[in-house]
């Protein structure tokens, strides 16, 4: 899809949004319904891009989800506000800060240290995520020398009643 087609669709979409919100409160479902029922030809021209956008949104939502549908055992991260995949900072070959998504069950102690170090670079306001990662770090600390991952360390802490 060309930039012209994309701009054209955005203008069209803006018009549909404006038109529907004049008559009543704004509703995403109503806008989607109008496009699907009254303007399928417009959607047909950009369906690949719309599908790619939708898939990216689904992947992001899945990575942020807290509960895994494929987890067979106990979820050691269940009561923490930590997504199934966690952004872990690292330096690329040129020394530039990058972010990798890792399964929370495969986080290493070095990963946890890097995540917490990035928060130390920020303002002092503590977020819920920061509190959870600090608690994870505290609970996992006694097992640094025996566990391969944070997930294993949390299992050991749970087993030991910590």
């Amino acid at each position: 899809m060309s930039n012209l087609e994309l701009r054209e669709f955005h203008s069209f979409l803006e018009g549909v949004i404006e038109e529907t919100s004049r008559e009543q409160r704004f509703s995403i479902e109503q806008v989607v319904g109008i496009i699907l029922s009254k303007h399928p030809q417009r959607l047909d021209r950009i369906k690949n891009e719309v599908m790619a956008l939708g898939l990216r949104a689904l992947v992001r939502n899945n990575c942020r989800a807290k509960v895994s549908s494929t987890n067979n055992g106990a979820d050691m991260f269940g009561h923490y506000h930590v997504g199934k995949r966690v952004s872990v900072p690292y330096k690329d070959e040129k020394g530039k800060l990058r972010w990798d998504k890792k399964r929370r069950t495969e986080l290493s102690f070095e990963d946890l240290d890097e995540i917490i170090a990035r928060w130390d670079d920020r303002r002092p306001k503590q977020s819920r995520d920061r509190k959870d990662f600090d608690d994870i770090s505290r609970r996992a600390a006694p097992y640094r020398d025996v566990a391969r991952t944070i997930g294993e360390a949390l299992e050991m802490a749970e087993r030991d009643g910590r």
Side-chain angles (χ1 to χ4, degrees), residues 93-125:
E93 62 278 351
K94 295 179 182 177
K96 185 170 179 166
L97 181 65
R98 302 281 185 193
W99 296 87
D100 186 20
K101 290 276 194 188
K102 285 193 170 183
R103 289 182 189 92
R104 64 184 175 195
T105 56
E106 296 175 0
L107 288 175
S108 68
F109 288 96
E110 292 78 22
D111 295 335
L112 183 61
D113 292 343
E114 282 297 318
I115 291 167
I116 291 172
R118 291 293 143 228
W119 273 314
D120 288 342
D121 294 342
R122 296 181 186 172
R123 293 191 308 248
K125 178 184 174 256

Side-chain angles (χ1 to χ4, degrees), residues 50-137:
V50 170
M51 193 177 309
L53 284 169
L55 286 171
R56 282 195 288 280
L58 289 171
V59 169
R60 277 192 298 274
N61 288 343
N62 188 279
C63 288
R64 285 192 295 254
K66 309 305 178 225
V67 179
S68 175
S69 61
T70 60
N71 189 3
N72 296 336
D75 184 4
M76 294 293 105
F77 290 85
H79 61 283
Y80 292 110
H81 191 259
V82 177
K84 292 184 288 186
R85 291 199 174 263
V86 178
S87 292
V88 178
Y90 72 95
K91 300 275 179 153
D92 68 10
E93 62 278 351
K94 295 179 182 177
K96 185 170 179 166
L97 181 65
R98 302 281 185 193
W99 296 87
D100 186 20
K101 290 276 194 188
K102 285 193 170 183
R103 289 182 189 92
R104 64 184 175 195
T105 56
E106 296 175 0
L107 288 175
S108 68
F109 288 96
E110 292 78 22
D111 295 335
L112 183 61
D113 292 343
E114 282 297 318
I115 291 167
I116 291 172
R118 291 293 143 228
W119 273 314
D120 288 342
D121 294 342
R122 296 181 186 172
R123 293 191 308 248
K125 178 184 174 256
Q126 267 216 300
S127 68
R128 179 177 172 179
D129 287 348
R130 172 63 192 260
K131 289 176 186 174
D132 282 346
F133 277 105
D134 283 343
D135 189 47
I136 289 168
S137 180

